[in-house]
Amino acid sequence: MQGRMFDHIQSLEKSRTNWRIKARLTRFWPTFSPETSTIKGYNLILLDDDNTHVHAYAYPDNWRAIGKEVAEGKIYTVENFQVRDTIGKLRPVSTKLCIRLLSSTIIECVEDDALIPNHKFEFMDMGDLLEECNRLTENQNPEFAYDVIGVVEHFKHVTRKQTRYGERDQTRFMFSDGRLKFSVTLWGDFASSVNQTYTAELQKPVIGILTSAKLSTFRQENQIGALPSTKIYFNLDIDPVTEFRERLIEEGYKSPPDTDESSSEPAPRAVIERTSFKELIENSLSFVLKRTVVVKFVINKIEEEDSWWFNSCVSCHSEVEKVDKKFKCAECKRNFGYCEKRFRIVVLADDTTLVTNVILLDRVVKRMGATTVANILNLMKKDSSVTAESAVFKSIVGKEVTALLQLSDANVNGDSNLYNVVDLCDSSMFETAIIQSTPAQATNSFSVDVDSPIVGIELFQTPGSSESVAKKIKMDFHVHGFVIPEALDDLNIPIYEGSMYIVENFVTRRAMGTLRPVTSDMCIILNETSIVTNIPLEIGRFPRYKFEITQLGDIYSIARNLAPDEEPLYALDIVGIIIDVGDTAIEATTSGMRQSVRFNLYDGRNTIRVVLLDEKVSLLGHILDGDYQLEPIVILTSMRPHFRNGVLQVSSTEATKVYVNIYYHAVWQIRRR
């Protein structure tokens, strides 16, 4: 081997294994199994003298066979390994290939080599990070993790936080490029180690580098989070840090005072800015971080009288396309047998500074007109003299409103002056609460301070019984809520399905896990301070049911794309006629002896096998007894699709309910067939 030249990382390819490279180990970390906490493998980032780096990994048995202890920053020769295509998301480096270390791989520590850099980063500008946050959909991860450079502000030293995994250390700070800000929250041992390296002696402003970081969004705030591969460096002695600090100084940046209290108070939050159409158009780029603003205007006229409603997805509320008697949602990538109908009215708005077009979305029109699209269309069918003008337009034109506008990318880029109006505010209540903020004061996160007197914005708070818009209009959103055991007794009220309640003082969280009972991406947690009040007079003001029906013909494609033990993200609501009901049986399963009943569900076109388990068997009691005069059409909620012995079926879950012959449009459609 003596005298053999080293291969360059850039030259690696998959055809052979007798490679020999010389590289610096810039990062090293183990990967743990979330279920068992055992080590799944070991990961290395190797950097050579060509300033090319690569991700290498070894399974535990191979790493034990190699028998080497390694340290970050040292130089190693690595011989005899495989080269593979990289797969998956959030890869730690952008190299298209990775290295798999074998039991025969040889790793030797050698003298330091000044030709090999100490670090390599692939920095992404924070402005581009913001675009990534807007581009990525829920639960979507990019191909690569991000390296980010920024100034550390409002560093909060470690505190112990109670989580569902027990008590854990937490460290928080804001990360800024002098213009944009992102929140960073670190947990566990990583938080503790970062806390030890962030000291008062660090030169200010403190320039940080986050490697292999992940973007996330929590409570409408864009955040940078850590992965197992993430490292954080403070005031690293490299040119990009020096140049970054010099730029900040040239621009007059001053480090904010350190909030070095062990506090869980959130970072300062942006306020909702009141503005005008003229300001929005002439200074559109200044609103890139403030996507929700308030404008007061008068509605002069309806611009497009023929296009005042659209077919909406029952899940995400995007516009759907009707294809072969199904409604196809491009956002959800799902097909539905029915859709919802929502207002979308283009009007001419005048705020005294400028006259421009705005789009009044469904929530706004329902609040102003106290009606829905479905109600108007039904009236039109019964009475030909009823028009959209008489039913809703006359209640809109001429009105002065204070409204929340949600700005799009096209709005802030100056490409469009057509604005979406997403909600109304009570003008008299709102006047004293709006703060005239300047663009420089805003951050990329948006929220409303819970202590501020903005009681007119129903969009961001739970309405009280006296002010609830629920008394006036029909709403059609639903959300999964649950009660922590410690709070169950404190609620001190029986809860019955179908009743109406006011729910106050609760926590909202991003929905997690698989087989969620509804597709809402947020959930509600009731705790010891929550208040639940029954309001029997409100019964009937809201829809009694909301289902997200999946067509039986679409279930196969959903189940086929799942791994053998993988669950779908959401459980399914399905509808059909029960046929071929089998006997109730006791069967042996991997979970023990379980009661079951099997039958087929038929929707007029397709049939699927259904299994109800344990206590859910009793839900079919009245159907099996033949107590219905009309042929029973059932809706089964929160069902799990899967294959058993190669046969597709859906099984009940804890959230499953059975509804028979209810007054619901999906049931009508089955009966009309």
Side-chain angles (χ1 to χ4, degrees), residues 304 306-323 326-336 338-346 359 361-362 418 420:
E304 299 178 9
D306 294 333
S307 303
W308 54 275
W309 65 277
F310 69 100
N311 289 321
S312 162
C313 173
V314 298
S315 177
C316 70
H317 303 156
S318 300
E319 186 168 5
V320 295
E321 179 185 6
K322 192 170 185 179
V323 180
K326 292 182 181 180
F327 294 95
K328 183 178 181 61
C329 178
E331 294 295 325
C332 294
K333 294 180 173 55
R334 296 173 62 187
N335 295 326
F336 299 90
Y338 67 98
C339 66
E340 296 175 347
K341 294 175 173 56
R342 291 180 170 270
F343 288 111
R344 184 172 59 197
I345 302 179
V346 180
I359 302 175
L361 297 180
D362 190 69
L418 184 64
N420 289 330

Side-chain angles (χ1 to χ4, degrees), residues 202-229:
L202 288 172
Q203 179 186 354
K204 301 296 176 60
V206 178
I207 310 302
I209 293 175
L210 276 69
T211 67
S212 298
K214 176 185 178 183
L215 286 177
S216 61
T217 304
F218 180 66
R219 294 181 181 177
Q220 302 187 39
E221 180 182 60
N222 295 327
Q223 300 186 344
I224 300 175
L227 297 166
S229 54

Side-chain angles (χ1 to χ4, degrees), residues 343 363-372 375 424-426 429 456 458 463-475 500 535 537-538 540-543:
F343 288 111
R363 183 183 181 90
V364 176
V365 181
K366 286 195 293 190
R367 292 185 65 174
M368 296 179 67
T371 187
T372 66
N375 288 342
L424 300 179
C425 310
D426 187 312
M429 292 175 163
E458 186 211 302
S465 59
S466 62
E467 298 296 331
S468 175
V469 180
K471 295 182 179 180
K472 305 173 186 176
I473 61 172
K474 172 184 174 183
M475 304 296 287
M500 188 75 69
I535 43 173
L537 294 179
E538 293 275 348
R541 301 291 183 176
F542 290 141

Side-chain angles (χ1 to χ4, degrees), residues 557-569:
S557 60
I558 294 173
R560 180 189 59 190
N561 292 326
L562 299 173
D565 296 323
E566 183 183 9
E567 302 282 15
L569 188 58

Side-chain angles (χ1 to χ4, degrees), residues 98-160:
C98 63
I99 288 173
R100 179 188 174 191
L101 304 180
L102 309 171
S103 59
S104 58
T105 299
I106 301 171
I107 300 178
E108 295 292 343
C109 184
V110 296
E111 292 183 359
D112 201 355
D113 187 340
L115 296 179
I116 301 179
N118 290 314
H119 306 279
K120 177 180 172 67
F121 304 109
E122 300 174 290
F123 291 122
M124 175 172 274
D125 182 82
M126 284 194 183
D128 295 333
L129 281 183
L130 187 62
E131 291 184 7
E132 283 285 280
C133 283
N134 297 328
R135 182 182 67 83
L136 296 173
T137 59
E138 179 66 23
N139 297 319
Q140 182 183 11
N141 286 320
E143 188 173 1
F144 306 109
Y146 306 106
D147 295 345
V148 192
I149 185 171
V151 59
V152 179
E153 300 176 350
H154 305 293
F155 189 93
K156 297 183 184 296
H157 286 284
V158 161
T159 57
R160 295 289 289 175

Side-chain angles (χ1 to χ4, degrees), residues 178 205 245-255:
R245 178 178 281 108
E246 290 174 352
R247 179 182 70 78
L248 290 177
I249 294 173
E250 287 176 4
E251 295 178 357
Y253 175 86
K254 294 183 179 180
S255 297

